[in-house]
């Protein structure tokens, strides 16, 4: 079957032949670049809703650019595409085999066979897309079958009535086509796009266009489970909703421990919230990330999932408002995690590479990371669940200058719609502890309107089990659970001092909210040309790094000094968490713990482990969680 996807500003078609595909040499590679092969990301892509009958559609597809949005009106039938592209990947990346910049419209095409048995009576055939940037219009047999907008969210198309189950089907010509449009930050568009820009410069990076997460198909009954909302608390109560494609039906839920023993079961009805209790569960935490498996049955459908029992809340501890995990104050320390790769851009080369970053952070003793204005694939969140890393999850931002780019009512409404998608598609991952609405005012009104207040309330309505950081950085109007300070030269976390620079619109610490240093550090060091993103425009911006250290001794000394200041603020003031910039270098930034290629760790590990542990010890002395050494 050939699957065709048009990308609004560039059309791409994917084919099954591997002839002609090869990795394009990127400006910088990694140890995984040339190990990806032509069967990338073979893992089941949605671990929270897993079925036995599925098949990956990743691999070598065909593609071509498109001329404009007019091509979205009709599928390009009777056309053979000849250019190869690897899916999933970004067209701008070396891994794609394309590495073309500023593609706006494209078609993708791939042929595949529908597996035997999938055409049985009362079965549906679903094609799933984990993420396509930015708009996708789906056609099946020349008829429009679906449309999706938003570059970070998964969506599905029911192809049952349009495919030929007796032989090879062409998703573009017959039966499915998808047209995709990706404006990124083009003039006249203000959409959630995070750090992606068409003209990268320092803290803004090369964009991602196309099918950048897994495409796959599955066979489901006529009435099937579409989503599981799961929240398991420290008291053992499980609050669930089993959403289904049709009318409400009876469902059965079983909870199993890691030995496969059923520890609880419950019968309920789909599309209605219900609760039950697991007696004395082992709790999930960074130093003990215990997970339980779930089996959910509804009619002829059965899926597996998992959860972790933990409670995220806030409360006063010794006179200071604190973030609580399972009823105890947990000081949170981690990095600003951009999630960019030199070979795949938005798409990591493979799961091993993706998890490598998390292992480095865990080994240092970090118990948290802030996923910065990007949303990852489901396996990333599963890995954090399994490894015990709390997540502060950002909403991908609109343009960063909301004086020049004031969101229209329609753009604001679209941002808010996608913010709800972020929460609904991710609220069942135990590791996510906080949602961030706005980063440093990007896309936030400056004219007195305060949508973050309503969005904070909406987040609490959709997901009452987590905290909300309404404005990370500045333009703070008092909303949310966190008072979030950004200051790179030195931390100002819950302290009696702050930067009153008008352009930053910083504000004094608000003791009615939890204090966090949402970004700080950012000290840089240029290792060598060997580890640099070899794009001259990026190299030219290295000196825009907040601070450059000439050697690693200076880098580690400065890091220790800043961490010592933060430690004082944990001891003396009300600091409850901190986010160091950043996990890795990215393009023109050289301020990562790791270089962009992940081949060099700048840190004096012994020093940094001790400095991180000292934060936990200081918090413990003030009534906090007794963090054991996690390394």
């Amino acid at each position: 079957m050939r699957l065709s996807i048009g990308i609004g500003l560039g059309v791409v078609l994917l084919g099954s032949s591997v002839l002609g595909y090869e990795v394009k040499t990127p400006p910088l590679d990694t140890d995984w670049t040339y190990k990806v092969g032509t069967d990338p990301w073979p893992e089941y892509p949605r671990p929270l809703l897993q079925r036995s009958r599925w098949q990956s559609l990743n691999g070598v597809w065909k593609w071509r650019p498109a001329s404009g949005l007019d091509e979205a009106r009709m599928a390009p039938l009777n056309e053979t595409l000849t250019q190869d592209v690897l899916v999933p990947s970004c067209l701008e990346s070396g891994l794609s085999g394309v590495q073309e910049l500023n593609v706006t419209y494209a078609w993708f095409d791939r042929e595949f066979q529908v597996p035997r048995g999938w055409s049985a009576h009362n079965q549906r055939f679903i094609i799933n897309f984990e993420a396509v940037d930015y708009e996708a219009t789906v056609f099946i047999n020349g008829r429009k079958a679906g449309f999706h907008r938003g570059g970070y969210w998964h969506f599905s198309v029911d192809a049952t009535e349009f495919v030929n189950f007796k032989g090879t089907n062409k998703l573009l010509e017959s039966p499915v086509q998808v047209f995709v449009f990706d404006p990124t930050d083009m003039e006249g568009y203000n959409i959630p796009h995070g750090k992606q820009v068409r003209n990268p410069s320092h803290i803004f990076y090369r964009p991602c266009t196309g099918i950048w997460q897994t495409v796959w198909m599955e066979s489901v009954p006529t009435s099937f489970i579409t989503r599981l909302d799961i929240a398991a608390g420290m008291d053992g109560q499980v609050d669930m909703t089993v959403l289904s494609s049709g009318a409400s039906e009876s469902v059965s839920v079983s909870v199993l421990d890691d030995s496969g023993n059923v520890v609880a079961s419950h019968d309920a009805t789909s599309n209605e919230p219900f609760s039950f209790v697991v007696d004395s569960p082992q709790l999930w935490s960074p130093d003990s990330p215990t997970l339980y498996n779930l089996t959910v049955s509804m009619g002829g459908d059965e899926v597996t999932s998992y959860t972790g029992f933990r409670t995220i809340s806030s409360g006063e501890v010794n006179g200071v408002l604190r973030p609580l995990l399972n009823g105890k104050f947990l000081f949170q320390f981690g990095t600003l995690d951009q999630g960019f790769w030199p070979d795949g851009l938005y798409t990591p080369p493979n799961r091993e590479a993706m998890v490598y970053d998390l292992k480095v952070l865990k080994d240092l003793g970090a118990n948290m990371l802030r996923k910065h204005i990007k949303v990852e694939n489901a396996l990333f969140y599963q890995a954090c669940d399994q490894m015990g890393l709390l997540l502060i999850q950002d909403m991908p931002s609109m343009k960063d200058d909301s004086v020049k780019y004031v969101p229209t009512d329609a753009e604001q409404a679209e941002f808010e719609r996608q913010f709800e998608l972020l929460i609904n598609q991710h609220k069942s991952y135990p590791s996510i502890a906080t949602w961030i609405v706005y980063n440093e005012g990007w896309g936030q009104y400056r004219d007195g309107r305060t949508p973050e207040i309503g969005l904070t309330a909406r987040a609490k309505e959709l997901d009452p089990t987590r905290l909300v950081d309404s404005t990370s950085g500045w333009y703070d109007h008092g909303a949310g659970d966190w008072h979030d300070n950004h200051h790179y030269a030195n931390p100002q976390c819950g302290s009696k001092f702050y930067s009153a620079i008008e352009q930053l619109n910083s504000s004094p610490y608000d003791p009615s909210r939890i204090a966090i240093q949402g970004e700080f550090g950012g000290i840089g060091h240029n290792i060598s040309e060997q580890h640099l993103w070899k794009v001259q425009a990026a190299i030219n911006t290295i000196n825009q790094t907040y601070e450059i250290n000439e050697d690693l001794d200076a880098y580690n000394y400065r890091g220790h000094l800043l961490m010592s200041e933060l430690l004082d603020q944990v001891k003396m003031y009300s600091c409850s968490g901190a986010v160091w910039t950043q996990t890795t270098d990215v393009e023109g930034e050289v301020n990562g713990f790791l270089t962009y290629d992940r081949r060099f760790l700048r840190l004096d590990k012994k020093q940094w482990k001790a400095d991180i542990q000292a934060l936990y010890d200081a918090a413990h002395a003030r009534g906090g969680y007794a963090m054991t050494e996690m390394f």
Side-chain angles (χ1 to χ4, degrees):
M1 177 173 281
R2 177 178 294 166
L3 175 61
S4 172
I5 296 189
I7 301 179
L9 296 167
V11 174
V12 181
L13 294 163
L14 308 173
S16 58
S17 171
V18 300
L19 295 177
Y21 168 76
E22 60 180 358
V23 177
K24 289 289 180 72
T25 302
L28 181 68
D29 61 18
T30 71
D31 289 341
W32 300 277
T33 303
Y34 302 103
K35 299 177 182 177
V36 171
T38 56
D39 183 25
W41 290 93
E43 299 87 357
Y44 193 93
R46 291 187 195 171
L48 284 177
L49 190 68
Q50 187 161 342
R51 292 184 177 87
S52 58
R53 298 215 296 186
W54 76 286
Q55 182 171 302
S56 173
L57 294 177
N58 292 342
V60 179
W61 294 42
K62 299 294 183 182
W63 87 281
R64 72 156 172 85
S67 59
L69 284 173
D70 285 348
E71 291 203 27
R73 298 175 181 175
M74 184 179 299
L77 301 176
N78 303 316
E79 177 181 351
T80 299
L81 303 181
T82 60
Q83 302 178 69
D84 290 328
V85 64
L86 189 70
V87 171
S89 67
C90 308
L91 285 176
E92 297 87 345
S93 72
L95 284 181
S96 71
V98 176
Q99 203 165 223
E100 291 189 10
L101 304 182
N102 298 330
V103 175
T104 307
Y105 312 91
W107 287 102
F108 294 82
D109 175 85
R110 170 185 168 133
E111 294 183 353
F112 62 92
Q113 292 279 343
V114 176
R116 291 180 179 273
W118 283 27
S119 58
H121 184 61
N122 291 331
Q123 292 291 308
R124 312 298 294 176
F125 168 56
I126 307 297
I127 300 174
N128 300 300
F129 301 87
E130 293 306 290
V132 181
D133 201 349
Y134 172 67
E135 291 183 358
T137 305
V138 181
F139 298 87
I140 301 178
N141 266 341
R143 292 176 290 168
K144 183 177 178 180
F147 173 81
H148 182 267
R149 175 181 291 122
Y152 300 93
W153 327 114
H154 63 71
F155 64 98
S156 302
V157 173
D158 188 337
T160 311
E161 306 303 324
F162 306 99
V163 298
N164 174 12
F165 289 100
K166 296 181 179 179
T168 299
N169 297 277
K170 293 183 178 181
L171 288 183
L172 176 63
E173 300 176 359
S174 151
V176 178
Q177 308 90 24
V178 185
F179 181 81
V180 185
F181 165 63
D182 184 18
T184 312
D185 65 334
M186 285 176 56
E187 192 67 30
Y189 294 91
N190 195 0
I191 64 174
H193 62 85
K195 288 283 188 90
Q196 304 178 75
V197 293
R198 292 197 159 215
N199 294 295
S201 179
H202 197 51
I203 67 169
F204 298 99
Y205 320 127
R206 182 173 289 189
C208 174
T209 296
I211 310 172
W212 68 278
Q213 290 187 28
T214 290
V215 184
W216 55 295
M217 58 183 180
E218 63 181 337
S219 177
V220 299
T222 301
S223 180
F224 59 96
I225 298 167
T226 58
R227 193 176 89 202
L228 300 177
D229 290 348
I230 310 167
M234 61 178 289
D235 58 357
Q237 179 166 312
V238 181
D239 297 320
M240 284 188 68
T241 304
V242 178
L243 288 89
S244 63
S245 62
S248 296
E249 295 187 43
S250 297
V251 298
S252 296
V253 180
S254 297
V255 182
L256 299 85
D257 61 21
D258 58 3
S259 298
N261 301 312
V262 176
V263 297
S265 58
H266 187 77
D267 294 331
T269 303
S270 67
N271 301 318
E272 299 176 7
F274 60 90
S275 301
F276 62 94
V277 173
V278 174
D279 293 331
S280 303
Q282 296 184 48
L283 301 187
W284 186 97
S285 69
D287 60 351
S288 182
T290 303
L291 298 174
Y292 286 78
N293 294 318
L294 280 76
T295 300
V296 182
S297 300
M298 184 191 76
D301 197 14
E302 181 175 281
V303 299
T304 58
S305 189
Y306 69 88
T307 193
F309 288 83
R310 91 292 178 272
T311 297
I312 304 291
S313 62
S314 63
E316 193 170 292
V317 178
N318 297 332
V320 179
L321 192 63
R322 301 292 195 181
L324 306 180
L325 174 65
N326 300 329
K328 300 178 181 179
F329 164 37
L330 176 67
F331 186 89
Q332 299 178 25
F333 179 81
T335 55
L336 194 75
D337 195 80
Q338 308 273 13
F340 274 78
W341 295 81
D343 43 16
L345 301 179
Y346 253 25
T347 308
N350 54 30
R351 187 183 185 279
E352 177 188 351
M354 180 184 72
V355 171
Y356 176 81
D357 285 1
L358 303 179
K359 288 181 176 178
V360 167
L361 296 176
K362 189 74 174 181
D363 180 57
L364 291 168
N367 63 9
M368 170 269 284
L369 62 85
R370 178 183 169 195
K371 177 47 61 179
H372 190 40
I373 51 180
K374 182 196 177 190
V375 180
E376 299 287 357
N377 67 49
L379 299 177
F380 174 88
Y381 298 95
Q382 181 191 39
C384 291
D385 294 340
Q386 294 170 334
M387 296 173 64
L389 279 166
L390 286 168
L391 284 166
I392 298 175
Q393 175 63 57
D394 290 18
M395 172 63 190
S397 63
M398 294 190 285
K399 290 183 178 179
D400 68 313
D401 186 344
S402 290
V403 175
K404 182 178 179 181
Y405 304 108
V406 179
T408 65
D409 290 347
E411 289 167 346
Q412 180 64 26
E414 181 59 26
F415 176 84
E416 296 184 7
R417 184 189 73 85
Q418 293 192 34
F419 180 63
E420 293 192 9
L421 284 177
L422 168 69
I423 294 173
N424 283 329
Q425 292 191 3
H426 296 85
K427 63 185 178 182
S428 294
Y429 294 108
S431 55
I432 297 178
T434 295
W435 306 111
I436 289 182
V437 183
Y438 288 111
N439 172 73
E440 295 185 349
W442 300 357
Q444 185 183 2
Y445 292 121
R446 305 284 202 277
D447 58 6
R449 285 178 286 179
T450 55
E452 68 272 15
I453 295 175
L455 285 170
T456 298
R458 181 58 175 154
K460 294 284 190 177
E461 181 182 0
L462 292 172
D463 176 20
T465 71
R466 290 181 175 84
L467 304 178
V468 179
D469 187 342
S470 304
T471 53
S472 182
W474 43 84
Y475 302 108
D476 178 13
H477 299 107
D481 298 293
W482 297 89
H483 182 268
D484 188 331
N485 177 284
H486 289 191
H487 197 252
Y488 278 87
N490 59 282
Q492 301 173 345
C493 185
S495 64
K496 299 294 184 179
F497 49 90
Y498 67 99
S499 296
I501 302 173
E502 183 178 356
Q503 72 183 67
L504 298 185
N505 200 25
S506 295
S507 57
Y509 163 59
D510 176 3
S512 70
R513 290 178 290 162
I514 307 163
I516 187 171
Q517 192 66 43
E519 294 179 27
F520 82 118
I523 59 174
H525 170 244
N526 189 356
I527 296 293
S528 69
E529 181 181 353
Q530 175 185 356
H531 299 287
L532 286 180
W533 175 250
K534 296 172 184 61
V535 173
Q536 191 59 50
I539 293 172
N540 292 343
T541 65
I542 285 176
N543 283 335
Q544 294 180 28
T545 302
Y546 300 102
E547 172 184 305
I548 294 290
N549 296 272
E550 293 187 356
D551 58 38
L552 287 175
D553 287 341
Y555 172 88
N556 283 289
Y557 160 71
R558 290 289 295 146
H560 176 65
L561 191 63
L562 288 170
M563 290 290 282
S564 297
E565 288 191 61
L566 181 68
L567 177 62
D568 286 343
Q569 291 165 35
V570 178
K571 292 177 177 179
M572 298 171 59
Y573 299 116
S574 301
C575 186
S576 293
V579 180
W580 181 276
T581 300
Q582 57 188 331
T583 307
T584 74
D585 296 348
V586 188
E587 297 190 12
E589 294 190 77
V590 292
N591 53 3
F593 282 174
L594 290 160
T595 52
Y596 197 18
D597 58 9
R598 276 72 169 177
R599 291 188 173 108
F600 190 90
L601 180 70
R602 290 186 172 90
L603 307 186
D604 178 330
K605 290 179 66 175
K606 183 177 180 181
Q607 169 198 307
W608 281 85
K609 284 184 175 183
D611 285 345
I612 293 169
Q613 185 63 40
L615 300 174
Y616 303 143
D617 293 341
H620 177 52
R622 300 195 60 185
Y625 194 91
M627 291 293 295
T628 59
E629 296 215 5
M630 296 182 293
F631 38 85

